[in-house]
PDB file of all heavy atoms in Angstrom:
ATOM      1  N   ILE P 229       7.279  -4.777   8.020  1.00 98.00           N
ATOM      2  CA  ILE P 229       8.215  -5.657   8.726  1.00 98.00           C
ATOM      3  C   ILE P 229       7.448  -6.767   9.437  1.00 98.00           C
ATOM      4  O   ILE P 229       7.832  -7.935   9.395  1.00 98.00           O
ATOM      5  CB  ILE P 229       9.082  -4.836   9.705  1.00 98.00           C
ATOM      6  CG1 ILE P 229      10.039  -3.929   8.906  1.00 98.00           C
ATOM      7  CG2 ILE P 229       9.861  -5.747  10.649  1.00 98.00           C
ATOM      8  CD1 ILE P 229      10.738  -2.875   9.741  1.00 98.00           C
ATOM      9  N   ALA P 230       6.343  -6.393  10.055  1.00 97.00           N
ATOM     10  CA  ALA P 230       5.526  -7.409  10.727  1.00 97.00           C
ATOM     11  C   ALA P 230       5.016  -8.448   9.737  1.00 97.00           C
ATOM     12  O   ALA P 230       4.880  -9.635  10.056  1.00 97.00           O
ATOM     13  CB  ALA P 230       4.348  -6.739  11.443  1.00 97.00           C
ATOM     14  N   ALA P 231       4.765  -8.011   8.515  1.00 97.00           N
ATOM     15  CA  ALA P 231       4.296  -8.943   7.482  1.00 97.00           C
ATOM     16  C   ALA P 231       5.426  -9.813   6.947  1.00 97.00           C
ATOM     17  O   ALA P 231       5.171 -10.821   6.282  1.00 97.00           O
ATOM     18  CB  ALA P 231       3.645  -8.173   6.343  1.00 97.00           C
ATOM     19  N   GLY P 232       6.691  -9.416   7.233  1.00 96.00           N
ATOM     20  CA  GLY P 232       7.799 -10.254   6.826  1.00 96.00           C
ATOM     21  C   GLY P 232       8.966  -9.542   6.166  1.00 96.00           C
ATOM     22  O   GLY P 232       9.963 -10.167   5.813  1.00 96.00           O
ATOM     23  N   ALA P 233       8.860  -8.232   5.965  1.00 98.00           N
ATOM     24  CA  ALA P 233       9.948  -7.519   5.297  1.00 98.00           C
ATOM     25  C   ALA P 233      11.163  -7.394   6.213  1.00 98.00           C
ATOM     26  O   ALA P 233      11.029  -7.245   7.431  1.00 98.00           O
ATOM     27  CB  ALA P 233       9.473  -6.134   4.869  1.00 98.00           C
ATOM     28  N   SER P 234      12.347  -7.466   5.602  1.00 98.00           N
ATOM     29  CA  SER P 234      13.599  -7.248   6.345  1.00 98.00           C
ATOM     30  C   SER P 234      14.122  -5.838   6.140  1.00 98.00           C
ATOM     31  O   SER P 234      15.048  -5.392   6.824  1.00 98.00           O
ATOM     32  CB  SER P 234      14.674  -8.222   5.871  1.00 98.00           C
ATOM     33  OG  SER P 234      14.268  -9.544   6.096  1.00 98.00           O
ATOM     34  N   ALA P 235      13.593  -5.167   5.154  1.00 98.00           N
ATOM     35  CA  ALA P 235      13.967  -3.784   4.854  1.00 98.00           C
ATOM     36  C   ALA P 235      12.745  -3.126   4.227  1.00 98.00           C
ATOM     37  O   ALA P 235      11.840  -3.810   3.762  1.00 98.00           O
ATOM     38  CB  ALA P 235      15.156  -3.722   3.904  1.00 98.00           C
ATOM     39  N   VAL P 236      12.771  -1.805   4.232  1.00 98.00           N
ATOM     40  CA  VAL P 236      11.623  -1.063   3.701  1.00 98.00           C
ATOM     41  C   VAL P 236      12.145  -0.018   2.727  1.00 98.00           C
ATOM     42  O   VAL P 236      13.188   0.601   2.974  1.00 98.00           O
ATOM     43  CB  VAL P 236      10.842  -0.387   4.855  1.00 98.00           C
ATOM     44  CG1 VAL P 236       9.770   0.543   4.324  1.00 98.00           C
ATOM     45  CG2 VAL P 236      10.223  -1.459   5.754  1.00 98.00           C
ATOM     46  N   ALA P 237      11.431   0.143   1.620  1.00 98.00           N
ATOM     47  CA  ALA P 237      11.842   1.160   0.648  1.00 98.00           C
ATOM     48  C   ALA P 237      10.761   2.229   0.528  1.00 98.00           C
ATOM     49  O   ALA P 237       9.570   1.954   0.659  1.00 98.00           O
ATOM     50  CB  ALA P 237      12.114   0.527  -0.709  1.00 98.00           C
ATOM     51  N   LEU P 238      11.233   3.448   0.290  1.00 98.00           N
ATOM     52  CA  LEU P 238      10.344   4.599   0.154  1.00 98.00           C
ATOM     53  C   LEU P 238      10.302   5.047  -1.301  1.00 98.00           C
ATOM     54  O   LEU P 238      11.344   5.141  -1.955  1.00 98.00           O
ATOM     55  CB  LEU P 238      10.837   5.767   1.021  1.00 98.00           C
ATOM     56  CG  LEU P 238      11.083   5.455   2.495  1.00 98.00           C
ATOM     57  CD1 LEU P 238      11.572   6.714   3.220  1.00 98.00           C
ATOM     58  CD2 LEU P 238       9.817   4.924   3.150  1.00 98.00           C
ATOM     59  N   GLY P 239       9.121   5.332  -1.781  1.00 98.00           N
ATOM     60  CA  GLY P 239       8.974   5.757  -3.171  1.00 98.00           C
ATOM     61  C   GLY P 239       8.264   7.092  -3.276  1.00 98.00           C
ATOM     62  O   GLY P 239       8.858   8.153  -3.061  1.00 98.00           O
ATOM     63  N   THR P 240       6.979   7.019  -3.532  1.00 98.00           N
ATOM     64  CA  THR P 240       6.194   8.226  -3.799  1.00 98.00           C
ATOM     65  C   THR P 240       6.296   9.277  -2.699  1.00 98.00           C
ATOM     66  O   THR P 240       6.278  10.476  -2.983  1.00 98.00           O
ATOM     67  CB  THR P 240       4.719   7.824  -4.030  1.00 98.00           C
ATOM     68  OG1 THR P 240       4.686   6.886  -5.113  1.00 98.00           O
ATOM     69  CG2 THR P 240       3.855   9.014  -4.391  1.00 98.00           C
ATOM     70  N   VAL P 241       6.448   8.821  -1.458  1.00 98.00           N
ATOM     71  CA  VAL P 241       6.521   9.780  -0.347  1.00 98.00           C
ATOM     72  C   VAL P 241       7.690  10.746  -0.521  1.00 98.00           C
ATOM     73  O   VAL P 241       7.646  11.888  -0.069  1.00 98.00           O
ATOM     74  CB  VAL P 241       6.621   9.043   1.011  1.00 98.00           C
ATOM     75  CG1 VAL P 241       7.942   8.298   1.138  1.00 98.00           C
ATOM     76  CG2 VAL P 241       6.440  10.006   2.176  1.00 98.00           C
ATOM     77  N   LEU P 242       8.737  10.296  -1.214  1.00 98.00           N
ATOM     78  CA  LEU P 242       9.919  11.153  -1.379  1.00 98.00           C
ATOM     79  C   LEU P 242       9.606  12.406  -2.184  1.00 98.00           C
ATOM     80  O   LEU P 242      10.275  13.434  -2.037  1.00 98.00           O
ATOM     81  CB  LEU P 242      11.040  10.384  -2.091  1.00 98.00           C
ATOM     82  CG  LEU P 242      11.686   9.265  -1.291  1.00 98.00           C
ATOM     83  CD1 LEU P 242      12.680   8.515  -2.170  1.00 98.00           C
ATOM     84  CD2 LEU P 242      12.392   9.836  -0.072  1.00 98.00           C
ATOM     85  N   PHE P 243       8.616  12.310  -3.071  1.00 98.00           N
ATOM     86  CA  PHE P 243       8.321  13.463  -3.918  1.00 98.00           C
ATOM     87  C   PHE P 243       7.802  14.630  -3.079  1.00 98.00           C
ATOM     88  O   PHE P 243       8.120  15.782  -3.342  1.00 98.00           O
ATOM     89  CB  PHE P 243       7.308  13.087  -5.008  1.00 98.00           C
ATOM     90  CG  PHE P 243       7.776  11.948  -5.881  1.00 98.00           C
ATOM     91  CD1 PHE P 243       6.861  11.109  -6.495  1.00 98.00           C
ATOM     92  CD2 PHE P 243       9.125  11.714  -6.081  1.00 98.00           C
ATOM     93  CE1 PHE P 243       7.287  10.058  -7.297  1.00 98.00           C
ATOM     94  CE2 PHE P 243       9.569  10.667  -6.877  1.00 98.00           C
ATOM     95  CZ  PHE P 243       8.639   9.829  -7.488  1.00 98.00           C
ATOM     96  N   ALA P 244       6.993  14.315  -2.077  1.00 98.00           N
ATOM     97  CA  ALA P 244       6.466  15.371  -1.216  1.00 98.00           C
ATOM     98  C   ALA P 244       7.409  15.665  -0.051  1.00 98.00           C
ATOM     99  O   ALA P 244       7.449  16.780   0.444  1.00 98.00           O
ATOM    100  CB  ALA P 244       5.091  14.980  -0.678  1.00 98.00           C
ATOM    101  N   ASP P 245       8.158  14.654   0.368  1.00 98.00           N
ATOM    102  CA  ASP P 245       9.032  14.817   1.533  1.00 98.00           C
ATOM    103  C   ASP P 245      10.388  14.168   1.275  1.00 98.00           C
ATOM    104  O   ASP P 245      10.625  13.018   1.656  1.00 98.00           O
ATOM    105  CB  ASP P 245       8.377  14.194   2.776  1.00 98.00           C
ATOM    106  CG  ASP P 245       9.240  14.381   4.019  1.00 98.00           C
ATOM    107  OD1 ASP P 245      10.255  15.121   3.941  1.00 98.00           O
ATOM    108  OD2 ASP P 245       8.907  13.794   5.064  1.00 98.00           O
ATOM    109  N   PRO P 246      11.296  14.896   0.630  1.00 98.00           N
ATOM    110  CA  PRO P 246      12.614  14.313   0.344  1.00 98.00           C
ATOM    111  C   PRO P 246      13.387  13.945   1.605  1.00 98.00           C
ATOM    112  O   PRO P 246      14.341  13.169   1.541  1.00 98.00           O
ATOM    113  CB  PRO P 246      13.331  15.404  -0.459  1.00 98.00           C
ATOM    114  CG  PRO P 246      12.505  16.631  -0.327  1.00 98.00           C
ATOM    115  CD  PRO P 246      11.117  16.219   0.041  1.00 98.00           C
TER     116      PRO P 246
END
Side-chain angles (χ1 to χ4, degrees):
Chain P
I229 291 168
S234 299
V236 172
L238 307 180
T240 303
V241 67
L242 291 175
F243 302 152
D245 182 8

